[in-house]
Amino acid sequence: MRDERNTFFSRLGLEKNTDAYQRYYQDHPHTQALDDAFRGGDFKHALKLPSDVKQSVFDYVHQEDVWLTHAHHESVSYPVALNPKPIHTQDLKALLYDEGALDVMVVPLEKRDYYSHHGTVKESLHLDLNDLPIEPKYTHAILYATELDATAIKQAPFVESLLETMRQYSNVANMAFKLTKVLKDHGYEALAQHREYYELPLVPLAPKHHFGTVGMANHIIHPKFGNRLRLNAVLTTAPLNLDTRPKFDVRRVCRRCAL
């Protein structure tokens, strides 16, 4: 099992000289100097934009953060119906496709797919879960992906690519919240993963079940849609029909291209 506390974003969430900071780097001294060089920085403030435009970007990101926090807690507290009703995998997939998903796949979950412990990244949702173990209680993941706009992404590293990335993060999260509500209405536990809350990492899960493969940039590359994707998942206990696919390995192509 992987440990969310070891992810870069979680490590940067540790405040210097706190007990959590001291405990972590006592066990992981090799990352301390590198992490401290980045600690306290905010990539948004490095944007090279006129001050009024930069402020509008800050305001947009803040609004997305406020919405996501509210939507997350609303989704988690939404009740599970007491009497389970029949649920059809194809209906769930149709919901996601109607919302703009490019591809949807239902895969089984194993204990080793999960993170072993929560990291600091959930603090943005006002959740103090760092160091707490994660209970692997969901049996299935509904993986899906949406498309990032090509024109905006080709503007990277300029602000257009940032805004498109944020837009799609919110889009896949909204889709997850809708799907979670449907699953709970049918009497099954469900959890919407999104950019601020993960119980298991998706980049290892997707190639494990051949949803795509990992390219040289450590992004998922889909056999049909490439890597201009935003990947997300809903976790659930619902007894869904599983998908299987042939292995897809793009690394031979990557070695020839090497871009």
Side-chain angles (χ1 to χ4, degrees), residues 44-60 159:
K44 298 189 298 294
H45 293 281
L47 291 170
K48 292 180 170 56
L49 292 170
S51 58
D52 57 335
V53 178
K54 184 181 287 192
Q55 186 59 52
S56 68
V57 173
F58 294 168
D59 292 343
Y60 171 74
V159 70

Side-chain angles (χ1 to χ4, degrees), residues 52 65 81 84 107 113 122 125 138 172 184 195 215 234 242 254:
D52 57 335
D65 289 344
V107 302
D113 294 322
K122 281 103 176 181
L125 300 171
Y138 301 101
V172 295
K184 287 186 171 184
R195 65 178 168 89
V234 170
L242 300 175
C254 285

Side-chain angles (χ1 to χ4, degrees), residues 114 135-139 189 199 236-237:
Y114 284 82
E135 177 189 354
K137 65 178 182 178
Y138 301 101
T139 56
E189 292 281 355
E199 291 197 1
T236 184
T237 58

Side-chain angles (χ1 to χ4, degrees), residues 105-126:
M105 185 178 185
V106 179
V107 302
L109 292 178
E110 301 177 277
K111 182 178 180 180
R112 62 181 178 176
D113 294 322
Y114 284 82
Y115 284 124
S116 62
H117 292 77
H118 292 283
T120 66
V121 291
K122 281 103 176 181
E123 291 174 1
S124 61
L125 300 171
H126 312 301

Side-chain angles (χ1 to χ4, degrees), residues 64 67 99-101 144 146-147 165-177 230 232:
E64 292 297 292
W67 167 80
E99 292 290 325
Y144 60 96
T146 61
E147 182 179 23
T165 299
M166 291 296 297
R167 185 179 75 86
Q168 285 300 335
Y169 267 130
S170 296
N171 186 24
V172 295
N174 190 46
M175 294 162 69
F177 295 138
R230 176 59 58 218
N232 202 49

Side-chain angles (χ1 to χ4, degrees), residues 40 50 72 77 88 93 142 162 168 172 199 202 208 216 246 256:
H72 171 85
S77 63
H88 301 290
K93 288 184 174 182
I142 306 172
L162 165 65
Q168 285 300 335
V172 295
E199 291 197 1
L202 297 182
K208 176 181 176 181
M216 291 180 69
R256 289 201 302 272

Side-chain angles (χ1 to χ4, degrees), residues 75 92 95-96 104-107 109 114 138-145 172-184 188-194 197-198 200 202 205 231-238 240:
S75 178
L92 300 178
L95 185 155
L96 292 172
V104 183
M105 185 178 185
V106 179
V107 302
L109 292 178
Y114 284 82
Y138 301 101
T139 56
H140 295 73
I142 306 172
L143 280 170
Y144 60 96
V172 295
N174 190 46
M175 294 162 69
F177 295 138
K178 289 181 178 180
L179 188 61
T180 297
K181 181 177 183 294
V182 171
L183 287 158
K184 287 186 171 184
Y188 298 101
E189 292 281 355
L191 175 71
Q193 295 210 143
H194 51 78
Y197 193 98
Y198 279 80
L200 56 87
L202 297 182
L205 186 68
L231 184 65
N232 202 49
V234 170
L235 314 184
T236 184
T237 58
L240 303 177

